[in-house]
């Protein structure tokens, strides 16, 4: 055998040994994480004392970027109420959603299960038969809360199906005020006090044309369409406060999915005037909309305090996905944003407060997910999880109350048509356009340096993990509505179709 052949053989053996060692290390870590999760959940239930059932409020913002608020030290837009909410409980620095677009993300939050388990992979309006929506066989968080004796209310954007069988009142909610579709005008954009920005590529609005109303995106009280004249962010706040006041004498679950700060970029003069120093019109309106959202959250927190409910109410705040890829948004220090599987699309603002149980000022750095909201809420109220299916989320209470600091998840997964991603420990693998991008998030949170070629063993292991996870999923129930493929969405010069 020649010397070069011997060297090649030795190199191959060393590479195989390294791969085996890496695989063994990851498998051992996985086993430890799994056992720790079981142990800390058992400890939580064993230590849980009988106490009044907490109320649960889930505030879901729309398209809020990682650095669009003051939660993580950014200061472009003053958001004192969102900052206060995060500071009074647990702040998650690595909070994830399961999709970089709104409806699939909401489907997993409402069920505690990856949306791929039941085919809700894309936006439901793409269903050619018009039947797209959260499958009726899925149990929602509202179902489980109502079964536990809670009054359940929703105020805001549903976007989990517009047909009768998908309506919030048929999915576990006792009360509903909002829209069942993706969103709508925040108010009549032709009003003198409205400030509106339209993207240069969008068809301009005729200034002499009267507003035709919200049409199919109308606001409803229950199942009855109504004319809502108040700026939507304020209207949703008004209705959420009213629900809190009406329900203060009984345990309640309130879900408040604001449309803010999703487009269209529209705001009233009141908020617009706060940002006179901002010269760019799109940025000024976007920041004013963010300020309006913050005001609304402040009113919700005040309503809880004024009604003596603050101490024993769990308040969760998060965004449904990252901010869009635009000049006026801020996902810093993350890469890209909404529609993509990079951190800017799936890593979002996320916090939880419960003064009775969670210490103020807690910061939690291990990855957590919107999947965890369902099992965490049910554990907090002493309710029962569905017995006929497995949830993908975990109970975070043992973690946020200080019982344990171990990572709650072994691995997190994403699938978006042919594109997919995996996060395991510090590693993040993204597969798109038949290529791999691998990042070590512990020292490259901005996903700037692709190290896939340097670590083929890690790529192989994470690919195997994805395939194993994906084997338990089903095909999408309807096709994507389209894809984002503009140059701004390309990666390292590679064009990618990010399916919606």
């Amino acid at each position: 055998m020649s010397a070069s052949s011997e060297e090649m053989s030795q190199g191959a053996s060393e590479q195989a040994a390294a791969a085996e060692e890496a695989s063994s290390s990851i498998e051992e870590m996985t086993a430890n994480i799994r056992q720790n999760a079981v142990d800390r959940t058992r400890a939580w239930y064993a230590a849980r004392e009988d106490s009044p059932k907490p109320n649960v409020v889930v505030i879901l913002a729309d398209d809020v970027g990682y650095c669009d608020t003051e939660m993580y030290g950014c200061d472009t837009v003053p958001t004192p109420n969102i900052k206060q909410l995060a500071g009074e409980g647990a702040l998650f620095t690595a909070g994830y959603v399961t999709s970089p677009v709104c409806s699939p993300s909401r489907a997993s939050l409402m069920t505690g299960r990856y949306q791929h388990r039941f085919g809700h992979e894309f936006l439901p309006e793409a269903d050619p038969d018009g039947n797209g929506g959260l499958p009726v066989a899925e149990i929602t968080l509202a179902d489980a809360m109502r079964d536990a004796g809670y009054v359940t209310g929703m105020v805001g954007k549903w976007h989990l199906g517009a047909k009768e069988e998908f309506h919030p009142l048929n999915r576990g909610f006792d009360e509903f005020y909002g829209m069942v579709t993706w969103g709508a005008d925040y108010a009549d954009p032709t009003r003198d006090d409205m400030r509106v920005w339209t993207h240069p590529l969008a068809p301009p609005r005729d200034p002499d044309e009267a507003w035709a109303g919200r049409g199919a995106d109308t606001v409803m009280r229950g199942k009855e369409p109504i004319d809502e004249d108040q700026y939507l962010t304020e209207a949703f706040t008004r209705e959420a406060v009213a629900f809190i006041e009406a329900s203060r004498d009984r345990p309640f679950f309130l879900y408040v999915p604001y449309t803010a700060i999703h487009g269209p970029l529209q705001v009233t003069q009141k908020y617009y005037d706060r940002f006179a120093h901002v010269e760019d019109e799109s940025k000024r309106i976007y920041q004013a909309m963010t300020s309006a959202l913050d005001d609304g959250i402040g009113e919700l927190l005040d309503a809880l305090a004024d009604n003596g409910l603050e101490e024993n109410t769990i308040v969760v705040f998060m965004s449904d996905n990252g901010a869009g890829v635009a000049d006026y948004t801020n996902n810093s220090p993350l890469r890209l944003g909404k529609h993509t599987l990079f951190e800017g699309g799936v890593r979002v603002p996320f916090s939880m407060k419960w003064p009775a149980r969670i210490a103020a000022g807690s910061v939690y750095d291990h990855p957590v997910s919107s999947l965890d909201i369902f099992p965490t809420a049910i554990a907090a109220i002493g309710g029962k999880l569905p017995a006929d299916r497995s949830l993908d989320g975990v109970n975070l209470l043992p973690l946020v109350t200080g019982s344990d600091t171990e990572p709650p998840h072994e691995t997190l997964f994403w699938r978006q048509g042919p594109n997919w991603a995996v996060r395991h420990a510090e590693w993040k693998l993204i597969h798109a356009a038949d290529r791999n991008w691998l990042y070590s998030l512990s020292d490259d949170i901005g996903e700037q340096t692709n190290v896939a070629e340097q670590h083929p063993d890690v790529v192989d292991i994470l690919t195997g993990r994805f395939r194993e996870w994906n084997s338990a999923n089903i095909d999408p129930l309807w096709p994507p509505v389209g894809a984002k493929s503009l140059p701004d969405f390309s990666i390292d010069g590679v064009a990618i179709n990010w399916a919606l």
Side-chain angles (χ1 to χ4, degrees), residues 191-500:
R191 277 175 20 186
D192 290 341
D193 69 328
M194 288 292 290
R195 295 293 174 262
V196 177
W197 182 81
T198 303
H199 194 281
L201 298 180
R205 187 187 296 270
D206 185 346
D208 298 324
E209 183 178 350
W211 185 50
R214 296 188 174 96
D217 304 315
T218 189
V219 175
M220 296 182 178
R221 186 178 298 281
K223 297 182 180 181
E224 296 298 320
I226 66 166
D227 291 327
E228 177 54 74
D229 295 326
Q230 192 171 7
Y231 185 66
L232 274 188
T233 304
E234 296 176 341
F236 291 156
T237 299
R238 179 196 73 216
E239 295 295 322
V241 168
F243 179 87
I244 291 171
E245 292 176 343
S247 307
R248 60 189 174 191
D249 295 326
R250 50 186 175 168
F252 63 80
F253 167 55
L254 174 60
Y255 175 47
V256 191
Y258 282 98
T259 52
I261 43 181
H262 192 295
L265 295 191
Q266 301 171 338
V267 76
T268 58
Q269 191 74 39
K270 169 184 174 181
Y271 304 105
Y272 184 81
D273 286 344
R274 296 177 180 177
F275 296 89
H277 60 285
V278 180
E279 296 182 359
D280 182 275
E281 186 71 355
S282 62
K283 291 182 179 180
R284 181 173 180 178
I285 292 177
Y286 185 79
Q287 292 176 23
M289 293 172 69
T290 306
S291 186
L293 172 65
D294 185 72
D295 277 12
I297 291 173
E299 290 185 43
L300 294 186
L301 298 178
D302 287 345
L304 292 172
D306 293 345
N307 287 278
L309 304 172
E310 180 181 18
E311 182 71 12
N312 200 34
T313 296
I314 299 170
V315 181
V316 175
F317 172 79
M318 76 179 314
S319 180
D320 64 340
N321 45 250
V325 179
D327 292 338
Y328 50 81
T329 64
N330 193 349
N331 287 311
S332 180
L334 312 179
R335 190 172 188 180
L336 291 179
K338 180 179 180 179
H339 303 116
T340 81
L341 296 179
F342 280 76
E343 292 290 276
V346 296
R347 188 168 180 160
V348 298
F350 190 1
S351 66
M352 179 189 302
K353 64 171 282 190
W354 184 10
R357 300 301 299 265
I358 301 174
S362 304
V363 178
Y364 196 76
D365 294 324
H366 290 302
V368 295
S369 171
S370 54
L371 293 165
D372 304 329
I373 293 175
F374 189 131
T376 299
I378 297 305
I381 69 170
K384 295 181 179 179
L385 295 175
D388 63 342
R389 66 200 66 195
S390 297
L391 300 191
D392 293 301
V394 300
N395 172 20
L396 296 178
L397 291 176
L399 309 170
V400 296
T401 56
S403 302
D404 203 329
T405 58
E406 292 295 322
H409 290 278
E410 302 168 12
T411 315
L412 293 174
F413 301 94
W414 295 266
R415 190 183 79 184
Q416 182 199 55
N419 309 322
W420 52 267
V422 178
R423 173 162 184 182
H424 187 94
E426 80 271 19
W427 294 110
K428 170 87 173 288
L429 174 65
I430 301 171
H431 180 86
D434 294 323
R435 303 190 185 198
N436 292 315
W437 282 267
L438 179 69
Y439 303 99
S440 174
L441 296 180
S442 60
D443 53 21
D444 185 17
I445 191 174
E447 295 172 305
Q448 297 299 310
T449 305
N450 181 10
V451 295
E453 291 186 359
Q454 291 90 330
H455 298 278
D457 53 332
V458 176
V459 171
D460 288 344
I461 291 169
L462 298 190
T463 299
R465 285 186 171 276
F466 171 78
R467 290 172 177 166
E468 180 181 1
W469 169 80
N470 197 40
S471 67
N473 297 328
I474 68 172
D475 291 336
L477 295 180
W478 52 82
V481 72
K484 291 288 185 179
S485 55
L486 294 172
D488 286 347
F489 291 89
S490 65
I491 303 299
D492 301 335
V494 178
I496 298 175
N497 291 322
W498 301 103
L500 312 180

Side-chain angles (χ1 to χ4, degrees), residues 59 81-89 297 301 315 317 351 353:
I59 303 170
N81 297 299
I82 294 174
K83 181 180 180 181
Q84 174 188 336
L85 194 165
E88 291 178 344
I297 291 173
L301 298 178
V315 181
F317 172 79
S351 66
K353 64 171 282 190

